[in-house]
Amino acid sequence: MFKEKPILIKITHSDAELLKRFAWFQQQPGCNWTTTRGGEEEVPDLTITRRGVFLTNGVNHLSFHPSMALIRLINLLRGGTDRYLEATQLQPGDSLIDATLGLGTDALIGAWAVGERGSVLGIEQSPILAAFVSDGLNHFSEIPQNVKNKDKQAAWNALTRASKHIVVRWGEHREYLKQIPSRSVDVVYLDPMFRRTCRQSDSMLPLHLWSDHNPLDQEAVLEACRVARKRVILKERKNSSEFRRLGFDILLGGQYSPVDYGVISI
Ligand SMILES: C[S@@+](CC[C@H](N)C(=O)[O-])C[C@H]1O[C@@H](n2cnc3c(N)ncnc32)[C@H](O)[C@@H]1O
């Protein structure tokens, strides 16, 4: 499905930097880019501008921004806890496969936790999302001038470093995992889309449009268990029957949270 849909890509100015970015996008695997749709509404799916790259769904635009990762990291740097890190138990030097990369928020927190000696591989089934997030991570460097808060600056700098350690791959995770040797990665993380309702904030609508909503399949979980050395983690709706169906033990915590984390310890 993702391979066949033509994706309208536009560039707002012919600057050298924007042209370079445009050429980079056109080389990304799986994306069926087009520069003209020929229809009445010529709203691009992806627009490369001087202010960044935007993914569009009608009137809603999404740009790569580490907003949620930033809030979580500020909290962590102040000594707070993070349920994802409690579940994954990632340590400096660990290797992580985030098999449902999405917008890369969890992968960024994971990359911060494993540090420079660790590694993070993000697998994303949607080619446009894989390309969009990969580009966002590649260009994630400058602290915006309006960021004056010291905690925010520290978190932003830490995320900038973390972003350099995430390798993004377009692919279907079950097939991708099949190519990875057994017991070669510390943690495999799965955060599928399908439990999410349509009550998304407008800014997340492009993610909804471009992502894969299928439930996890059992074989993908078996592959994750073969590849992982320590644990496989699943994030799902609170009390979801998916935990039982796929063989995960629900971890305690998050009494007031709409999600649970499940674990298969290896
Ligand atoms: C809920 S989002 C993940 C959000 C992510 N944890 C984050 O922090 O941004 C789920 C993502 O997994 C992707 N996905 C779903 N099934 C997949 C599969 N079989 N292989 C790879 N990616 C998949 C979807 O396209 C979607 O982008």
Side-chain angles (χ1 to χ4, degrees):
M1 166 191 157
F2 291 116
K3 262 190 262 183
E4 284 138 35
K5 195 174 186 301
I7 303 166
L8 186 61
I9 183 169
K10 290 272 166 158
I11 186 167
T12 52
H13 297 85
S14 300
D15 305 354
E17 180 57 31
L18 268 58
L19 286 167
K20 199 170 140 198
R21 228 159 154 174
F22 184 71
W24 180 90
F25 270 102
Q26 293 201 312
Q27 284 162 13
Q28 297 315 296
C31 299
N32 179 11
W33 300 115
T34 176
T35 49
T36 49
R37 188 142 38 210
E40 279 177 18
E41 347 129 3
E42 276 277 277
V43 182
D45 300 309
L46 192 114
T47 316
I48 303 170
T49 78
R50 289 173 176 161
R51 291 183 301 111
V53 172
F54 295 88
L55 200 54
T56 306
N57 173 11
V59 292
N60 302 295
H61 304 286
L62 178 69
S63 62
F64 182 83
H65 192 278
S67 47
M68 274 316 293
L70 194 62
I71 292 167
R72 284 165 65 182
L73 196 51
I74 290 171
N75 176 49
L76 280 161
L77 293 177
R78 287 176 180 163
T81 56
D82 184 275
R83 283 186 77 209
Y84 159 83
L85 288 185
E86 286 173 348
T88 55
Q89 294 183 30
L90 287 166
Q91 301 296 321
D94 274 354
S95 50
L96 164 71
I97 290 184
D98 182 333
T100 47
L101 180 71
L103 294 176
T105 306
D106 290 323
L108 273 168
I109 297 295
W112 171 78
V114 302
E116 309 227 327
R117 289 185 297 111
S119 67
V120 178
L121 168 66
I123 306 171
E124 173 53 54
Q125 159 110 316
S126 157
I128 188 168
L129 275 185
F132 174 73
V133 172
S134 187
D135 170 82
L137 291 169
N138 290 340
H139 290 85
F140 179 18
S141 54
E142 288 171 25
I143 298 183
Q145 286 179 345
N146 58 351
V147 177
K148 302 279 183 239
N149 178 294
K150 292 274 178 239
D151 288 353
K152 210 168 179 180
Q153 283 176 351
W156 191 285
N157 287 336
L159 285 179
T160 305
R161 289 192 294 277
S163 68
K164 308 301 167 227
H165 300 290
I166 303 173
V167 173
V168 176
R169 290 286 176 264
W170 165 59
E172 197 287 315
H173 52 223
R174 182 192 58 230
E175 295 309 313
Y176 204 101
L177 289 168
K178 278 184 184 167
Q179 297 159 32
I180 296 179
S182 301
R183 306 281 170 261
S184 59
V185 171
D186 291 304
V187 178
V188 178
Y189 176 66
L190 297 155
D191 174 16
M193 193 80 192
F194 94 107
R195 70 171 183 278
R196 302 198 175 198
T197 67
C198 292
R199 286 180 290 126
Q200 298 283 326
S201 67
D202 285 352
S203 64
M204 297 306 278
L205 280 171
L207 171 67
H208 233 250
L209 180 72
W210 293 110
S211 55
D212 184 321
H213 295 238
N214 286 315
L216 266 186
D217 78 21
Q218 188 90 51
E219 205 188 331
V221 175
L222 289 175
E223 282 302 318
C225 291
R226 180 186 61 75
V227 163
R229 271 193 291 262
K230 295 181 179 168
R231 64 193 61 83
V232 178
I233 298 295
L234 172 64
K235 179 180 175 187
E236 254 300 337
R237 189 170 31 79
K238 194 144 208 89
N239 297 319
S240 167
S241 58
E242 286 297 274
F243 290 113
R244 183 191 284 244
R245 177 178 76 86
L246 297 164
F248 286 81
D249 293 324
I250 298 178
L251 293 164
L252 294 175
Q255 200 183 349
Y256 303 108
S257 163
V259 297
D260 272 333
Y261 290 82
V263 64
I264 297 177
S265 297
I266 309 300

